[in-house]
Amino acid sequence: MSDQMLILIALAGIFLLLFLVIRTKLHAFVALLLVSLIVGILTGMPLGDVIDTMEQGMGGTLGFVAVVVGLGAMFGQMLEVSGGADRLARTMINKLGEDKAQWSLGITGFLVAIPVFFDVGFIILVPIVYGLAKKTGKSLLYYGIPLLAGLAVTHSFIPPTPGPIAVADLIGADLGWVILFGALAGVPSMIIAGPLFARFISKRIHVVVPDYMNMEEVDYDRELPSFALIASIILTPLVLILCNTFSDFFLEEGHIVRDIFTFLGHPFVALTIATILTFIFLGTKRGYTRQEVQDIANKGLEPAGIIILVTGAGGVFKEMLIESGVGDVIGNMMAGSNLPPILLAFLIAAAVRVAQGSSTVSMVTAAGLVSPLIDILSLEGPVLGLMVIAVASGATVLSHVNDSGFWLVGRYFGLDVKNTLKSWTIMETLIGLVGLAVALILGIFIS
C-alpha cells in the first residue's frame, strides 16, 4: 500500500475518532478501540494480527498505567477524606496572610493536584475562595484563578496525574525527568496564569458567590491532619522517583546506593510506599477502622477505572498505527518538517484538544501520533521528558465549550459563556503557552 494511502487512512481514522466522540457521544474508550480496528483492517493487516496488536497495545500500556493511576487514586481519596487538602490551604493562608492568599491558593492547588483529581480538588477548596471573596469584597476570580491555575498546572504536567503518566508511558519517557521538567514549566505557568492574570482579569470581571452555591463548610469527622504530615506524604513519591533518575547520572552502575534508589524510586514502589503511608497516618492512626480505610480506597478506584481504560485504548491506537505501517509514514512526514519535534508535539496535541475537549484524551491521542517520530529521530533520555511537557501543554490550551472543566468553573463562579472564555480559557491557554516556551528553552540546552 502506498504511503499516500496510509496517510489518508490515518487522517480518516482521526476524523472518525473525533466524530464518534463529539457528535455521537460514543465513549472515548469504545471509540478508540473501534477506530483502531478500522485502521488495522483498512491498512491490510491480517485479521488475526489486528486482534494480537490490540492485545499487545492494551496489555503493554496497562501493565504500567493501571498500577500507577490506581495507587494514585487511592492515595488521593485518603487525602480528600482526611481533610488534608483543606489543611494545606488553611495553613498556607494563615502563614502567608490574607494579603498573599492568591499565592497560598496557587501553591495549595499545585500540591493538592498531585494525588487528587482536578475537579475533586477544586470542589474541596472552592469554599475557601468563597469565604475570602465575601470577606474582602473582591471578585471571585481574584482568588479562584490562582487556585485553578495551581490545580491545572499539576494536572497537566506532574505525575502521578493520569495525563502525563499516560504520555510518558506511550513515548517511553522517564518519570523523573517528567517530574523535574514539569516543575520547571509548572512554576512559571502557575505564577503567570494564576496570581498575575487574576489581578488583571478580576478588575474587568467582578463576580460574587452565586446565589445557588450556598455551600456550607465541611465538618470533618476528625481533627484535620498536620500540614507537615500532608506535605511530607505528597512529596515522598516525587522525591523517591527523582532520586532514582539522578542516581543514574551520579553513581556508577552496580553501586549499592544506586540499586536501592532504582528500586525505591520506581513508580510502583514509590507510590505503594506513599499509599501505605496514607492508609496508616491518615487512616488507622486517625481513628479509621481497617474496613473504613478499605472502603475509602475502593471509592477512589471508581473514577480511576475510566481513566485507566481510556489510556489503555490509547495504547491500542498507538500500537495499531505502528504495526500497520502508518506510524512510520507519519513519523517520516513529521521528521521531514522544519519544525522542532517539541513544537510539533504541542501543535498536534492542541489540535486534538480544540476538536474534542478532554485534556487527558487529547494527551493520549497525541502521544500515539507522536511516538513514531520519536523512534525515527532516535530521541531518548531527558528530551523525552520535554516531549511529554510539550504534549501536555498542547492538550491544555484553548479549553472551550466541549471541555467539562469549562462548565464546572462557569457554574461554581457564576460566569456566563463569554466571561468563562475570557477567564478560564485564557488561563488555560497561558499555562500551555508558558509550558511550551519553557520546554523549547530547555530543549536548546539539552540538545
Side-chain angles (χ1 to χ4, degrees):
M1 187 174 292
S2 68
D3 289 353
Q4 291 81 1
M5 184 59 69
L6 288 174
I7 289 292
L8 287 175
I9 292 172
L11 290 174
I14 293 168
F15 283 121
L16 175 61
L17 173 63
L18 297 175
F19 173 79
L20 292 173
V21 173
I22 298 169
R23 298 294 298 175
T24 69
K25 303 300 180 183
L26 187 65
H27 196 283
F29 171 65
V30 179
L32 280 164
L33 291 180
L34 178 59
V35 171
S36 298
L37 276 171
I38 293 171
V39 169
I41 293 170
L42 291 181
T43 53
M45 291 178 65
L47 297 182
D49 290 351
V50 171
I51 301 301
D52 291 342
T53 299
M54 292 185 69
E55 291 181 0
Q56 292 169 10
M58 181 68 74
T61 301
L62 294 190
F64 178 80
V65 171
V67 176
V68 175
V69 173
L71 288 169
M74 291 188 285
F75 178 7
Q77 187 69 19
M78 285 301 305
L79 186 71
E80 175 192 347
V81 171
S82 68
D86 204 2
R87 166 59 74 197
L88 284 176
R90 296 182 186 280
T91 300
M92 292 295 298
I93 292 171
N94 290 338
K95 293 291 184 182
L96 297 180
E98 286 189 4
D99 58 324
K100 293 184 175 62
Q102 285 186 307
W103 297 91
S104 301
L105 289 167
I107 295 169
T108 299
F110 194 93
L111 292 173
V112 166
I114 293 173
V116 177
F117 294 133
F118 170 87
D119 52 351
V120 175
F122 175 63
I123 293 169
I124 292 171
L125 296 172
V126 76
I128 298 175
V129 173
Y130 289 168
L132 287 168
K134 288 178 179 178
K135 186 174 182 178
T136 62
K138 293 181 182 294
S139 172
L140 274 176
L141 298 178
Y142 185 81
Y143 299 107
I145 289 294
L147 172 62
L148 288 168
L151 291 167
V153 161
T154 306
H155 176 75
S156 296
F157 293 159
I158 301 180
T161 52
I165 281 287
V167 178
D169 180 60
L170 289 171
I171 69 175
D174 181 275
L175 282 189
W177 290 117
V178 177
I179 291 171
L180 177 61
F181 296 146
L184 292 175
V187 171
S189 298
M190 187 273 288
I191 292 172
I192 293 172
L196 297 184
F197 176 62
R199 292 178 187 178
F200 170 83
I201 198 64
S202 62
K203 294 177 182 177
R204 289 155 179 81
I205 304 175
H206 186 86
V207 286
V208 297
V209 180
D211 293 335
Y212 54 80
M213 296 304 295
N214 296 317
M215 298 181 67
E216 298 181 0
E217 187 171 335
V218 178
D219 185 17
Y220 295 100
D221 294 336
R222 296 159 178 82
E223 182 182 350
L224 294 178
S226 70
F227 175 86
L229 175 62
I230 297 300
S232 299
I233 292 176
I234 289 175
L235 293 176
T236 292
L238 303 186
V239 171
L240 288 174
I241 292 170
L242 284 171
C243 286
N244 174 23
T245 299
F246 291 140
S247 67
D248 291 344
F249 277 84
F250 298 112
L251 298 174
E252 296 179 359
E253 188 173 351
H255 194 289
I256 183 63
V257 175
R258 176 174 171 175
D259 290 343
I260 292 173
F261 279 135
T262 298
F263 176 75
L264 294 178
H266 190 282
F268 289 2
V269 179
L271 278 168
T272 298
I273 292 171
T275 304
I276 291 173
L277 289 176
T278 63
F279 289 165
I280 296 172
F281 292 104
L282 301 181
T284 55
K285 291 288 186 182
R286 291 175 48 75
Y288 290 98
T289 66
R290 293 179 181 178
Q291 184 59 49
E292 286 174 328
V293 171
Q294 183 177 351
D295 292 341
I296 292 169
N298 287 340
K299 185 178 180 181
L301 289 175
E302 292 174 5
I306 297 173
I307 294 170
I308 289 170
L309 288 176
V310 170
T311 305
V316 172
F317 183 55
K318 169 207 167 184
E319 194 69 20
M320 196 66 71
L321 290 176
I322 293 173
E323 293 300 320
S324 65
V326 173
D328 288 338
V329 176
I330 293 176
N332 287 322
M333 185 177 66
M334 289 190 290
S337 169
N338 293 325
L339 297 176
I342 290 173
L343 182 57
L344 271 173
F346 171 87
L347 293 174
I348 292 170
V352 179
R353 161 71 155 174
V354 171
Q356 65 84 40
S358 168
S359 61
T360 300
V361 175
S362 300
M363 290 187 205
V364 170
T365 306
L369 295 171
V370 169
S371 59
L373 173 66
I374 291 169
D375 294 334
I376 289 171
L377 295 180
S378 300
L379 300 179
E380 58 184 10
V383 73
L384 293 182
L386 294 178
M387 292 290 284
V388 174
I389 302 304
V391 169
S393 297
T396 301
V397 300
L398 299 173
S399 167
H400 59 96
V401 295
N402 63 358
D403 180 13
S404 61
F406 180 93
W407 298 107
L408 178 73
V409 172
R411 172 172 172 75
Y412 273 83
F413 287 168
L415 298 166
D416 58 22
V417 171
K418 179 181 177 182
N419 285 331
T420 309
L421 288 167
K422 288 182 177 180
S423 53
W424 161 259
T425 301
I426 292 178
M427 182 207 78
E428 286 275 90
T429 303
L430 285 172
I431 290 172
L433 292 177
V434 174
L436 170 65
V438 172
L440 287 170
I441 292 170
L442 291 174
I444 294 173
F445 293 100
I446 289 175
S447 60

